[in-house]
Amino acid sequence: MKLSLVIPAYNESAIIEATLRTVTARLADIDPEYELIVVDDGSTDGMADLVRPFESEHVRALGYRPNRGKGCAVRTGMLAARGEYVFHTDADLAYGLENIPDMLSKFEETGADLVVGSRKLNDDGYRDYPPLRLMASKCFSLLTRMVAGMNYDTQCGIKGFTRDAARAIFSKCTTDGFAFDFEVLLRAKRMGLRVEQEAVTIVNHRDSKVNVLRDSLRMFRDMLRIRRQVDRT
């Protein structure tokens, strides 16, 4: 099996069936032996009942209660994945799936351990992005450079890993919430893993609950905590 894709989901009953139809059709074209793992992050809207009919030799549903956060959901799926390359993306398919073949090629061409999406590398990466969310994204990028000297688009929601890199990183991660991407990339940096970037564009916008001031302050606090924790381990 070459490709595993992990989709964390919380209360996504409105879109999950359409997402699974789209994903299963596209992944079958990329790798007929694909694996899709949907991780239910403690949903309370009946989403699990909608996922169950899709379960098959290619589709697995995992979950737990209560809700713990996206970081926990991604970690659960990444550690369970069996593919040679393991990706994760969001249930709304904000970046689509068309970048996955190019990201797979980049693994093979460069010997990378991680290939991560970046809106910053694409002139149209933030096309039609709401101004508030654009401001939040730029704040998080600035904080990432300040705290860890990394210039990645950490919050971009599509990332790929070799299976070995995924297990090495996520077995050490503990962040359940919003800042989990920062921990993942910081641990990759500390481990000396090779990270390549792939230019991506947002193709699907949804309303955000981001509060720029509150969430930027929370992110800064979490980044400092994570850096201290990673430095100790």
Side-chain angles (χ1 to χ4, degrees):
M1 183 192 305
K2 185 173 186 178
L3 175 62
S4 293
L5 177 64
V6 173
I7 295 183
Y10 173 64
N11 285 352
E12 297 285 14
S13 61
I15 66 169
I16 196 64
E17 292 173 294
T19 292
L20 294 181
R21 284 192 291 268
T22 297
V23 172
T24 52
R26 185 67 184 102
L27 293 188
D29 288 338
I30 299 171
D31 174 17
E33 303 300 321
Y34 77 91
E35 173 184 58
L36 172 62
I37 300 176
V38 182
V39 184
D40 181 357
D41 184 24
S43 296
T44 58
D45 66 345
M47 188 188 74
D49 293 332
L50 301 178
V51 174
R52 197 166 295 116
F54 288 88
E55 289 187 85
S56 68
E57 62 178 320
H58 295 293
V59 181
R60 286 197 283 159
L62 305 178
Y64 48 79
R65 291 182 183 278
N67 170 255
R68 291 183 57 184
K70 182 180 175 183
C72 181
V74 171
R75 184 168 68 247
T76 298
M78 299 298 278
L79 291 174
R82 299 187 292 250
E84 181 180 357
Y85 300 103
V86 187
F87 287 72
H88 70 79
T89 197
D90 297 333
D92 61 357
L93 305 181
Y95 303 91
L97 300 171
E98 299 311 308
N99 289 293
I100 289 180
D102 288 339
M103 294 171 80
L104 286 170
S105 295
K106 189 161 287 188
F107 276 113
E108 296 168 352
E109 292 166 2
T110 67
D113 300 293
L114 289 75
V115 178
V116 300
S118 176
R119 296 162 291 187
K120 298 191 294 183
L121 296 181
N122 192 325
D123 291 340
D124 291 326
Y126 291 96
R127 185 177 56 212
D128 300 325
Y129 212 47
L132 187 63
R133 295 186 67 180
L134 178 59
M135 185 184 302
S137 181
K138 291 185 178 297
C139 284
F140 299 147
S141 292
L142 176 62
L143 292 175
T144 299
R145 291 196 299 272
M146 289 172 54
V147 174
M150 297 189 300
N151 197 32
Y152 304 122
D153 183 4
T154 59
Q155 301 311 114
C156 181
I158 183 166
K159 295 180 175 69
F161 305 72
T162 64
R163 181 174 57 231
D164 288 345
R167 290 178 179 173
I169 294 169
F170 283 94
S171 64
K172 292 183 176 296
C173 287
T174 61
T175 303
D176 288 345
F178 191 58
F180 85 95
D181 292 286
F182 175 78
E183 181 181 7
V184 166
L185 289 170
L186 183 58
R187 288 194 181 278
K189 180 181 179 181
R190 293 289 194 268
M191 292 175 184
L193 299 179
R194 179 168 181 169
V195 182
E196 294 289 338
Q197 300 182 75
E198 177 74 17
V200 301
T201 301
I202 297 171
V203 298
N204 181 32
H205 295 277
R206 288 204 296 179
D207 291 338
S208 173
K209 298 178 181 178
V210 169
N211 179 296
V212 174
L213 178 59
R214 181 195 65 208
D215 290 329
S216 294
L217 291 173
R218 180 182 300 166
M219 188 73 160
F220 183 62
R221 179 199 65 200
D222 288 345
M223 284 177 168
L224 292 176
R225 173 186 57 78
I226 289 167
R227 190 181 67 180
R228 289 193 299 269
Q229 180 181 336
V230 170
D231 286 345
R232 290 196 301 267
T233 58

